[in-house]
């Protein structure tokens, strides 16, 4: 039966979901009422019990569907990710091997099971408005091996009383943050090599888009390595020592925890860079571990849960990044839009300074106990450092606004400074960055 003829068997309550730019979503899902499920089972010649095991959304209810006693076969469209979880394309070669037909398929697949080991493919998210279904991994055996290693990491998480999905999400957020910063890491050579390979040999023609589409495949080995490291009790002990143990202090740039973490992802030089990125998910994990060791975490909750991932730390999806990229490219001229006028690296530096100041201030909770000299020294040093970070963000924001074409007098007024002082700061900032 053709799809159009098949669909006419049900009464539809809404239209098929589509992308903003037009075109149907590949991850569109169908929910059926009881009569609708009976009809499909009859058409397929497969019992409802078998279909319930095969289709995760089979028995999902929906407010748009009529009650059980309604005998009219009814269906409603929904977005797959909102029903059961992350949806990705299936491997067409595997589909052809099993069914004899090389058609497009979509599966509910977590991000740690995106490698088709048989054919060396990374299966991409199905919710994004882009034409690719997979990336070629045949020259990247380390990505395939990482999927095999994840099974052991997941078992280790369960033994430690942690949910593997939450451990993976935190590790992914840590590495995705490194990915955004890596554009400025001169010593980073592994990720550019992998990115060019998944792009067919050269990602330079459309680097921004390839960095979005290829990120999850390129960083997957490091995500598994970081997850394994954060589950290691020895690493938690290093984080405790890194913080000064029982005598709280600002996290040092040369601490052993971040140095060891850099070694575990085959980047011995990464330690100081990770240690001074105070506002990210890694330092949040460290803060939770430290508070638990101090006994200052309070009642059970997100604040002392090492695997709790703040919303602002969650890594952006491929679909979300592509939507932003599309809107930025469509913005007319200078656009008047912050993301269209301020370069990504400048936005990243501003965000990092703000988040670092926030994390430094959070580290001061519970510090006001102990000898007066120790408490005063720690508070003054940390507060001064936080104030410097905030001032850095303030200056960068003023410079970004002025460089984006905002009238100098208005920016000076917003920054509470004279136009001459702003011009001097702008000139100095350009000389420093040049």
């Amino acid at each position: 039966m053709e799809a159009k003829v098949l669909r006419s068997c049900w009464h539809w309550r809404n239209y098929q979901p589509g992308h903003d730019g037009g075109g149907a979503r590949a991850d569109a899902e169908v929910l059926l009422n009881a009569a609708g499920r009976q009809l499909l089972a009859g058409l397929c010649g497969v019992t409802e019990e078998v279909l319930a095991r095969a289709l995760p959304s089979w028995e999902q209810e929906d407010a748009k569907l009529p009650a059980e006693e309604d005998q009219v076969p009814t269906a409603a469209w929904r977005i797959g990710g909102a029903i059961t979880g992350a949806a990705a394309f299936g491997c067409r070669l595997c589909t052809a091997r099993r069914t004899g037909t090389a058609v497009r398929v979509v599966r509910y697949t977590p991000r740690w099971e995106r490698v088709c080991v048989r054919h060396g493919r990374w299966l991409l998210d199905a919710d994004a408005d882009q034409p690719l279904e997979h990336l070629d991994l045949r020259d990247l055996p380390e990505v395939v091996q990482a999927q095999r290693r994840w099974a052991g990491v997941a078992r280790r998480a369960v033994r430690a009383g942690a949910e593997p999905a939450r451990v993976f999400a935190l590790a992914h957020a840590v590495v995705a943050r490194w990915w955004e910063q890596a554009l400025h890491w001169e010593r980073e050579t592994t990720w550019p090599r992998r990115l060019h390979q998944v792009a067919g040999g050269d990602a330079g023609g459309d680097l921004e888009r390839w960095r979005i589409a290829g990120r999850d495949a390129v960083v997957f080995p490091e995500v598994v390595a970081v997850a394994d490291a954060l589950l290691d009790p020895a690493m938690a002990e290093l984080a405790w020592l890194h913080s000064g143990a029982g005598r709280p202090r600002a996290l040092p740039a040369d601490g052993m925890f971040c140095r060891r973490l850099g070694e575990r992802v085959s980047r011995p030089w990464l330690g100081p860079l990770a240690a001074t990125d105070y506002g990210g998910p890694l330092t949040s994990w460290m803060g939770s571990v430290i508070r638990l060791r101090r006994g200052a975490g309070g009642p059970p909750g997100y604040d002392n849960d090492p695997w709790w991932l703040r919303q602002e730390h969650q890594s952006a999806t491929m679909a979300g990044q592509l939507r932003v990229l599309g809107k930025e490219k469509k913005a007319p001229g200078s656009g008047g839009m912050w993301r269209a006028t301020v370069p990504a690296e400048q936005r990243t530096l501003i965000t990092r300074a703000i988040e670092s100041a926030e994390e430094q201030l959070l580290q001061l909770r519970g510090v006001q106990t102990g000898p007066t000299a120790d408490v005063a020294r720690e508070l003054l040093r940390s507060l001064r450092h936080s104030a410097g970070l905030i001032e850095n963000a303030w200056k960068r924001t003023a410079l970004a606004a002025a460089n984006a074409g905002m009238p100098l007098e208005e920016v000076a007024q917003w920054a509470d400074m004279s136009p001459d002082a702003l011009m001097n700061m702008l000139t100095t900032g350009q000389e420093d960055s040049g």
Side-chain angles (χ1 to χ4, degrees), residues 70-399:
D70 192 319
Q71 296 303 307
V72 178
T74 308
W77 287 104
R78 286 291 178 265
I79 293 172
I83 298 298
T84 306
F89 291 106
C91 175
R92 289 199 182 217
L93 296 179
C94 288
T95 304
R97 181 171 174 268
R98 294 177 183 178
T99 68
T101 306
V103 296
R104 186 179 75 178
V105 295
V106 175
R107 301 173 56 212
Y108 290 111
T109 312
R111 296 189 185 282
W112 54 83
E113 292 181 359
R114 295 298 177 85
V115 177
C116 173
V117 176
R118 179 183 294 274
H119 298 110
R121 292 179 167 185
W122 178 271
L123 306 175
L124 291 166
D125 292 348
D127 61 344
D129 188 8
Q130 58 88 33
L132 296 176
E133 294 182 16
H134 70 271
L135 302 175
D136 192 342
L137 300 179
R138 286 176 293 180
D139 294 327
L140 296 174
E142 65 269 30
V143 180
V144 179
Q145 292 164 6
Q147 181 162 294
R148 294 192 177 104
R149 289 201 311 273
W150 170 253
V153 177
R155 289 192 295 270
R156 189 173 185 176
V158 172
R159 290 196 298 269
E163 296 178 28
R166 299 182 69 207
V167 174
F168 185 88
L170 180 65
H172 188 275
V174 171
V175 179
R177 187 174 174 92
W178 291 347
W179 173 257
E180 295 304 321
Q181 300 164 4
L183 282 171
H184 310 288
W185 293 350
E186 294 181 0
R187 301 178 69 176
E188 178 55 54
T189 58
T190 301
W191 284 345
R193 173 183 61 82
R194 289 183 194 158
L195 183 63
H196 286 305
Q197 286 179 324
V198 300
D202 183 13
D206 196 356
L207 183 60
E208 283 186 285
R209 186 169 292 276
W210 276 114
R211 274 183 54 80
I212 293 171
R215 180 197 66 184
D216 288 349
V218 169
V219 305
F220 187 53
E222 286 73 23
V223 172
V224 175
V226 168
D228 189 40
L230 297 185
L231 286 165
D232 188 346
M235 293 295 288
E237 179 66 21
L238 287 178
W240 170 244
L241 297 175
H242 189 107
S243 71
R247 302 182 66 179
R249 64 176 181 180
L251 299 177
D254 60 349
M256 183 57 73
F257 170 81
C258 286
R259 190 185 313 167
R260 188 68 54 80
L261 185 62
E263 293 170 357
R264 292 185 70 150
V265 294
S266 303
R267 291 165 176 80
W269 46 265
L270 179 59
L273 298 174
T276 53
D277 182 19
Y278 297 110
L282 181 61
T283 46
S284 292
W285 179 89
M286 294 173 66
S288 296
V289 170
I290 293 165
R291 285 190 290 274
L292 286 172
R293 291 291 296 268
R294 286 182 192 159
Y302 70 87
D303 199 32
N304 54 5
D305 179 0
W307 309 113
W308 179 73
L309 184 61
R310 299 182 189 177
Q311 184 175 0
E312 62 268 24
H313 288 161
Q314 295 175 12
S315 50
T317 65
M318 179 174 69
Q321 292 183 87
L322 288 176
R323 282 195 297 270
V324 171
L325 180 62
K327 290 178 181 178
E328 289 177 351
K329 288 188 174 182
K330 290 178 182 177
S334 63
M337 301 292 290
W338 177 262
R339 292 182 62 89
T341 55
V342 179
E345 59 270 19
Q346 292 299 321
R347 301 196 308 268
T348 299
L349 291 171
I350 292 170
T351 300
R352 285 185 61 189
I354 295 171
E355 292 178 344
S356 297
E358 177 190 18
E359 191 64 33
Q360 279 286 287
L361 293 172
L362 286 173
Q363 294 291 334
L364 294 180
R365 286 186 298 184
V367 170
Q368 296 190 59
T369 57
T372 302
D374 292 345
V375 173
R377 179 175 61 251
E378 180 60 27
L379 280 172
L380 289 172
R381 286 178 176 175
S382 296
L383 289 171
R384 182 176 181 179
H385 182 60
S386 298
L389 290 168
I390 293 172
E391 184 177 6
N392 178 273
W394 174 80
K395 287 183 177 179
R396 287 188 181 280
T397 302
L399 292 173

Side-chain angles (χ1 to χ4, degrees), residues 38-53:
Q38 292 173 5
L39 174 61
L40 183 59
L43 290 170
C44 295
V46 179
T47 65
E48 289 195 48
E49 291 74 17
V50 173
L51 290 172
R53 291 196 299 270

